[in-house]
Amino acid sequence: MSMIHIFDTTLRDGEQSPGASITPEDKVRIALQLEKLGVDIIEPGFPASSPGDFRAVQEISRRVRAAEICGFARAVRSDIDAAVKATEEAARRRLHLFISSSQIHMDFQLRKTREEVLRIAREMVAYGKQFVHEIEFSPMDASRSGEDFLYEMVEAVIAEGATVINLPDTVGYALPEEYGAMFTRVRSNVRGGDSVRWSAHCHNDLGLAVANSLAAIQAGATQVEVTVNGIGERAGNCSLEELVMAVETRKNTLLAETAIEKSEIYRTSQMVSRTMHLPVAYNKPVVGRNAFQHEAGIHQDGLLKNRSTYEIMDPEQLGVPRDMIVLGKHSGRHAIKHRVSQFGVELTEEQLDDVFKRFKQFADDRKIVTDDELAVLVGKAVDQAIVPFEFVDMQMMTAAASGSRVAAVTLRNTADGAVQTFTAAGQGPIEAAIIAMKQAMPVPVEFEHLELHSMASGEAAYCEAAVHVRARGCGYRGSAIDDDVIVAAAKAYLAAANEAVRSGASRAAAVSASSAVSEPKRDA
């Protein structure tokens, strides 16, 4: 097995996504998570680009000890000086130097001749080598470069001390067979090719970044440059999670593996998405909301019998919450029965028929049926309340003096039927509504994250809200649909809180029953 080193450039190339710029403090927080994820090399920024980036690279170099830190620089002395200074406290470090090698870049961007570019590449690698042993060199736009010149440039920088050669598909132009063949030819046609490590850096303009990176691995590359969630300029870079799981899932074919801690993949994806304000697409492989969701009845039935029927990865090993089955109009009886059993309710065949009929009618209108909505349908069939609290009404007011919002949320406690209104103020309407509902909960239920998605278009559009909460150290998720965004968010929080309360009650009952069984009988 060949060990593939994961070079993460989320904080450099990834941050170049429009609107993705983050503070130095956020960069440090993400870098520490990348270290926990197990990436081998972190490229935390472009030190010469701004004082903020310099500080971020410097602080990350001080605090990250397991991963190698890479200072990024153009083939320019001042860039190299900044990168050397910013990374000087790193436990292990390298310099990453680049200059364009394609004719179109040399003609229109650099406005230099081949001879001039070759001289700069040679001189700057030699200059950087005075300070750092590990030098990575990238001939930018390698996949569109003339191969004779590419050979000449790579050979020259190896002679000056480059230890890693990265061949970038800078504009995502190459096809997998072309990109893999380029590695094979360059490696075999340059002197010193067997003395350096080879790296792939692919952009996703044609959706081929992961495929091209896999082709490079098959052609001898032992390092792949990636970003979390595939973020980056234009259509982004090779996705860390997709590349890692492709290698993991097909390692016996690729004869390769990585050292990534898979259980940290989802957590890292969510951190980057929320910090950089770049939502993850529903259908994003590995970490997207739908990646392990199954609505079709045939798929749901197969999954309930054996997960491997329709899943080639185990989401729980990736840290993905096990929301395996989405209940919608295509769902079958087996999925409904399974989900209801998770509420602690066993239905008779007659009751299941009743619930299934109500469910189908409801799902035709709403597309997706949330757990709380299903619990209400079940409650009607069995004449028993399933959710601890039911949403009754909500009113929202604006405090004229402060501009804050005041929410009055009315809930029904299904245990005793009591209806009570809770009020609270907040800076925004969602905050006010959640603070109000927290007062009703028998345990602290802390709000963590909210996602809002439009479910239709036009004036009558309705919204789906998904809320993540934490209670007793465990995470819970609730969702709701409403044509009022604030109401949808409030109902989603209540759904998550109901799950937390219900889960806590189930655990308490189990502990109580266990204690009763184990308690020794006393003599009469």
Side-chain angles (χ1 to χ4, degrees):
M1 286 281 180
S2 174
M3 179 59 70
I4 305 302
H5 296 280
I6 299 300
F7 178 115
D8 185 274
T9 185
T10 301
L11 299 174
R12 199 276 300 172
D13 209 342
E15 198 201 12
Q16 291 171 200
S17 301
S21 295
I22 55 175
T23 66
E25 293 74 22
D26 282 334
K27 278 200 170 192
V28 173
R29 190 167 58 88
I30 291 175
L32 293 172
Q33 177 59 30
L34 291 172
E35 181 180 41
K36 194 174 182 182
L37 177 65
V39 303
D40 300 285
I41 306 102
I42 298 174
E43 188 171 63
F46 188 175
S49 66
S50 73
D53 239 26
F54 182 93
R55 289 198 311 274
V57 174
Q58 193 172 50
E59 184 63 19
I60 289 167
S61 296
R62 290 174 181 144
R63 297 184 60 181
V64 171
R65 311 316 287 171
E68 185 177 351
I69 303 301
C70 181
F72 184 72
R74 294 170 297 179
V76 175
R77 281 180 181 260
S78 58
D79 279 22
I80 294 171
D81 291 342
V84 169
K85 181 68 174 175
T87 60
E88 64 183 351
E89 295 183 57
R92 292 183 298 123
R93 65 170 172 169
R94 73 171 62 168
L95 285 180
H96 182 188
L97 309 183
F98 76 96
I99 193 168
S100 292
S101 59
S102 69
Q103 195 64 49
I104 191 170
H105 278 208
M106 288 187 286
D107 288 346
F108 296 100
Q109 183 183 32
L110 297 178
R111 299 186 184 277
K112 295 184 183 297
T113 65
R114 287 187 173 191
E115 290 72 22
E116 289 175 307
V117 170
L118 195 62
R119 175 183 56 78
I120 292 169
R122 184 182 293 113
E123 289 178 356
M124 291 303 99
V125 170
Y127 180 69
K129 194 70 175 179
Q130 299 177 78
F131 310 105
V132 177
H133 172 70
E134 292 286 355
I135 301 283
E136 177 172 336
F137 181 82
S138 292
M140 188 162 69
D141 206 21
S143 58
R144 295 195 299 169
S145 300
E147 287 201 349
D148 288 342
F149 182 61
L150 189 60
Y151 299 160
E152 189 177 5
M153 178 178 279
V154 169
E155 198 168 276
V157 297
I158 291 175
E160 296 296 340
T163 55
V164 180
I165 301 298
N166 179 51
L167 301 179
D169 184 27
T170 303
V171 293
Y173 178 75
L175 298 175
E177 56 269 27
E178 296 170 341
Y179 193 61
M182 178 179 68
F183 272 84
T184 299
R185 289 196 294 271
V186 176
R187 288 180 63 216
S188 60
N189 280 286
V190 301
R191 282 191 294 270
D194 57 354
S195 67
V196 296
R197 302 188 298 282
W198 295 86
S199 173
H201 180 112
C202 298
H203 281 259
N204 205 39
D205 298 69
L206 296 175
L208 296 171
V210 173
N212 283 337
S213 298
L214 292 173
I217 289 173
Q218 292 179 306
T222 56
Q223 174 181 293
V224 179
E225 306 195 359
V226 298
T227 60
V228 176
N229 298 333
I231 64 172
E233 291 203 73
R234 304 182 312 280
N237 292 46
C238 177
S239 162
L240 181 151
E241 55 280 354
E242 293 176 32
L243 186 282
V244 166
M245 291 314 298
V247 171
E248 173 65 23
T249 305
R250 302 304 307 275
K251 61 185 175 184
N252 291 332
T253 299
L254 295 168
L255 300 178
E257 59 186 349
T258 75
I260 292 295
E261 179 55 56
K262 295 186 292 298
S263 64
E264 294 294 330
I265 286 177
Y266 185 75
R267 184 178 291 107
T268 308
S269 167
Q270 290 291 295
M271 177 184 289
V272 169
S273 173
R274 294 169 186 175
T275 305
M276 293 188 168
H277 307 292
L278 294 174
V280 176
Y282 276 14
N283 64 332
K284 174 79 167 65
V286 184
V287 293
R289 171 177 164 175
N290 292 350
F292 298 99
Q293 301 274 20
H294 308 268
E295 185 184 336
I298 294 173
H299 286 218
Q300 291 176 345
D301 183 47
L303 282 159
L304 292 172
K305 293 171 179 173
N306 187 313
R307 181 188 60 79
S308 297
T309 52
Y310 289 100
E311 286 184 353
I312 60 172
M313 296 172 277
D314 183 350
E316 291 176 341
Q317 289 186 357
L318 309 179
V320 178
R322 172 48 91 176
D323 292 327
M324 181 177 71
I325 294 174
V326 172
L327 299 179
K329 68 177 184 178
H330 302 295
S331 298
R333 288 167 56 90
H334 289 290
I336 305 299
K337 184 177 181 180
H338 174 74
R339 184 60 60 85
V340 171
S341 71
Q342 293 178 323
F343 298 161
V345 177
E346 293 297 328
L347 298 176
T348 66
E349 285 301 312
E350 184 178 348
Q351 289 171 334
L352 180 59
D353 288 340
D354 184 27
V355 170
F356 190 60
K357 181 180 178 181
R358 294 173 187 267
F359 171 85
K360 284 292 187 180
Q361 292 171 341
F362 194 75
D364 271 338
D365 294 330
R366 301 298 290 271
K367 297 183 181 179
I368 294 174
V369 180
T370 66
D371 278 355
D372 255 29
E373 290 166 339
L374 177 62
V376 171
L377 298 179
V378 173
K380 291 177 180 177
V382 301
D383 194 25
Q384 172 189 339
I386 305 300
V387 295
F389 297 93
E390 291 180 351
F391 185 91
V392 177
D393 190 24
M394 182 172 70
Q395 292 182 329
M396 193 68 61
M397 296 156 283
T398 301
S402 64
S404 62
R405 303 298 179 89
V406 178
V409 184
T410 303
L411 303 178
R412 178 182 292 108
N413 187 326
T414 59
D416 57 14
V419 176
Q420 188 173 355
T421 299
F422 302 89
T423 61
Q427 291 301 307
I430 294 176
E431 181 185 22
I434 289 170
I435 294 173
M437 287 187 289
K438 280 184 178 181
Q439 299 171 49
M441 298 302 123
V443 295
V445 180
E446 295 305 318
F447 176 90
E448 281 199 326
H449 181 61
L450 166 68
E451 299 173 24
L452 292 172
H453 306 283
S454 174
M455 300 287 288
S457 58
E459 294 178 358
Y462 51 95
C463 163
E464 181 191 19
V467 167
H468 296 259
V469 303
R470 185 157 290 275
R472 303 185 189 88
C474 298
Y476 301 92
R477 180 182 181 275
S479 60
I481 299 170
D482 201 275
D483 54 9
D484 185 310
V485 173
I486 310 304
V487 173
K491 287 181 176 179
Y493 172 81
L494 183 61
N498 274 334
E499 183 65 26
V501 173
R502 190 165 54 221
S503 176
S506 298
R507 284 201 299 269
V511 170
S512 177
S514 174
S515 299
V517 170
S518 61
E519 185 177 339
K521 293 182 178 180
R522 297 179 180 177
D523 293 334

